[in-house]
Every structure is written in structure tokens, then in C-alpha cells.
């Protein structure tokens, strides 16, 4: 898998995952920080791309805003269940948090039994973190499967030291497709960078659409191109033709 071609701000639309792509992972997800030089680079790119820069993440958009402030950007949060279609637009919520109330109740006994697990409640998604308790990986996955056993309208996804549930029918690929149908992304060529299994939906869509699909890290992928790590992403973003 080759290195990606240089970004062309005149014709590309750029979509970036956050964790594992723009920033490294941390035991405490709230403790990550974006390198100030990278923040400045993204602001410059957003301007050169005429606003066709989107952050596509499992994080809530409110959290992305805090990490990336004062960068203006379109965003898909919680794998697309939250949307900000333009950098200056309002945040839309495709579903409400009450849809996951039964799962919250069913997970409670498992969390009481394994207090080293951490439940992150995003409102429209629930995430069990086991990064600080890797020996509980199988327990966390089984607990989530049991919590959604009779809920076919919910989707369980596994990521980097997490297992997550959210309403079915949405993923990062669909979010990117929706963005590409509207300004400022329409009529541009999509470029997507992501590291996790949840990014494969977007990488596949972008590759099939004739765009530039870039896997970050060494894991198997449908992507056409690869960057080794977060530092390589930073270098690629800062490069000029």
C-alpha cells in the first residue's frame, strides 16, 4: 500500500478521523491534545479548501470543538448521528438519547461487577472502554452483546480498546456520502484519513467513489493508501506540492 498523493486544495474535499489520526490515544480520552502547529496547519487548510474540511469521529461534536477550538469545520460526530453540515452551521441530532435507555439499564450489573471498565455515555451512543483493563476485553464485548441481544435496531461496533453501541442505519461512510452531496464538498474529490475499524465504512465509500482512501497504521484495510502513524499524518497535512 503506497503513500497517498499530495492534497490538492483546489479539487479535494478532506475528511479526517480524530483519535488515532490527528491525535494519539490516551487512557483518559478527555486528556488528548492537538499539537498547536497541527491546529494552525488545519486552519490554513480549511481556508485553502474553501471550507471543504470535515472531521468524522466517534466523538461528540461538542468534544471535537473543545479539542480543535478555534478551528471552524463541518463535522460528523458519534459516527454520523450528529451533524454540522457547514463550518458555521448548527449541530443536528439524528436520534435522541432515550433510544439507549434499555441498554443503560442492562449494562449496569456488568459495570458493577467490573468497575475497572469505563462507560462513556455520548447520549446517542454508549462506549465501554477497556484500555486500562485489557484483561476484561472479552467480558466487555460479551456484556455489550447481551445488553443489545433483543434490539435489532442497534449496532455494536468494536474499536481501539472499546466496544460501542448506537442506533443502526448510520456509519462514517454514510456521513461522508451525505457531506459530498452538498456545498462546500459537492463537485470535489473526497479524501479520507482514518485508523480504526469504524473508519473502514468511509474508506470503502471514498475508494469506490474514486477518491483518496488513506489508512493510518498497520491494520488491514480496504484503503488504497497508507500513512504509518499520527506523526506521518501531520507531515502529510503540512506538505506542499
Amino acid at each position: 500500500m503506497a503513500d497517498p498523493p499530495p492534497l490538492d486544495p483546489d479539487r479535494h474535499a478532506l475528511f479526517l478521523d480524530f483519535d488515532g489520526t490527528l491525535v494519539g490515544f490516551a487512557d483518559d480520552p478527555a486528556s488528548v491534545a492537538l499539537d498547536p502547529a497541527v491546529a494552525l496547519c488545519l486552519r490554513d487548510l480549511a481556508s485553502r479548501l474553501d471550507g471543504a474540511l470535515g472531521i468524522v469521529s466517534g466523538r461528540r461534536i461538542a468534544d471535537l470543538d473543545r479539542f480543535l477550538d478555534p478551528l471552524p469545520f463541518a463535522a460528523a460526530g458519534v459516527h454520523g448521528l450528529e451533524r454540522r453540515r457547514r463550518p458555521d452551521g448548527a449541530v443536528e441530532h439524528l436520534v435522541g438519547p432515550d433510544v439507549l435507555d434499555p441498554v443503560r439499564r442492562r449494562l449496569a450489573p456488568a459495570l458493577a461487577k467490573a468497575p475497572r471498565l469505563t462507560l462513556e455515555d455520548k447520549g446517542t451512543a454508549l462506549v465501554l472502554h477497556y484500555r486500562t483493563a485489557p484483561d476484561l476485553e472479552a467480558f466487555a464485548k460479551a456484556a455489550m452483546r447481551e445488553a443489545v441481544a433483543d434490539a435489532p435496531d442497534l449496532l455494536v461496533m468494536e474499536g481501539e480498546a472499546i466496544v460501542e453501541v448506537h442506533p443502526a442505519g448510520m456509519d462514517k461512510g454514510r456521513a461522508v456520502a451525505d457531506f459530498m452531496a452538498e456545498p462546500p464538498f459537492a463537485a470535489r474529490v473526497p479524501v479520507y484519513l482514518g485508523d480504526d475499524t469504524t473508519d473502514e465504512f468511509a474508506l470503502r465509500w471514498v475508494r469506490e467513489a474514486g477518491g483518496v482512501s488513506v489508512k493510518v497504521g498497520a491494520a488491514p484495510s480496504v484503503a488504497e493508501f497508507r500513512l504509518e502513524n499520527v506523526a506521518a499524518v501531520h507531515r502529510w497535512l503540512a506538505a506542499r506540492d
Side-chain angles (χ1 to χ4, degrees), residues 135-156:
D135 55 304
L136 294 176
E137 176 180 357
F139 179 88
K141 292 178 178 179
M144 189 66 86
R145 286 195 299 269
E146 291 173 8
V148 302
D150 59 350
D153 55 338
L154 299 179
L155 176 67
V156 175

Side-chain angles (χ1 to χ4, degrees), residues 60-227:
R60 297 177 304 165
I61 292 177
D63 294 329
L64 295 172
D65 283 340
R66 177 166 56 86
F67 292 124
L68 293 165
D69 182 65
L71 176 71
F73 57 94
V78 196
H79 309 285
L81 290 169
E82 294 181 356
R83 299 285 182 84
R84 182 165 62 215
R85 299 177 185 275
R86 300 178 62 88
D88 57 352
V91 175
E92 307 168 25
H93 299 270
L94 274 63
V95 296
D98 57 318
V99 70
L100 293 174
D101 284 346
V103 181
R104 293 181 178 91
R105 291 192 294 270
R106 293 169 187 164
L107 282 175
L111 291 168
K113 184 177 180 181
R116 289 188 295 139
L117 292 177
T118 301
L119 180 65
E120 180 185 4
D121 193 331
K122 299 178 182 179
T124 52
L126 301 173
V127 187
L128 271 179
H129 293 262
Y130 54 85
R131 181 176 298 278
T132 58
D135 55 304
L136 294 176
E137 176 180 357
F139 179 88
K141 292 178 178 179
M144 189 66 86
R145 286 195 299 269
E146 291 173 8
V148 302
D150 59 350
D153 55 338
L154 299 179
L155 176 67
V156 175
M157 296 196 304
E158 298 175 8
E160 182 69 28
I162 65 162
V163 56
E164 176 170 345
V165 61
H166 65 252
M170 182 50 59
D171 58 51
K172 290 183 176 183
R174 295 189 180 192
V176 171
D178 288 349
F179 278 131
M180 289 300 300
E182 301 178 358
F185 302 98
R188 288 175 172 262
V189 176
V191 179
Y192 189 95
L193 279 67
D195 75 298
D196 209 347
T197 55
T198 60
D199 294 300
E200 292 298 311
F201 297 99
L203 291 168
R204 178 178 286 105
W205 187 90
V206 166
R207 183 166 187 174
E208 292 176 352
V212 180
S213 54
V214 186
K215 181 72 170 183
V216 181
S221 177
V222 299
E224 185 176 6
F225 303 99
R226 188 182 300 274
L227 289 169

Side-chain angles (χ1 to χ4, degrees), residues 6 15 31 40 50 52-53 56-57 62 66 96-97 109 115 122 140 142-143 152 165 169 181 197:
F15 299 96
S31 69
L40 288 174
D50 291 331
L53 169 66
V56 183
S57 174
R66 177 166 56 86
K122 299 178 182 179
V165 61
T197 55

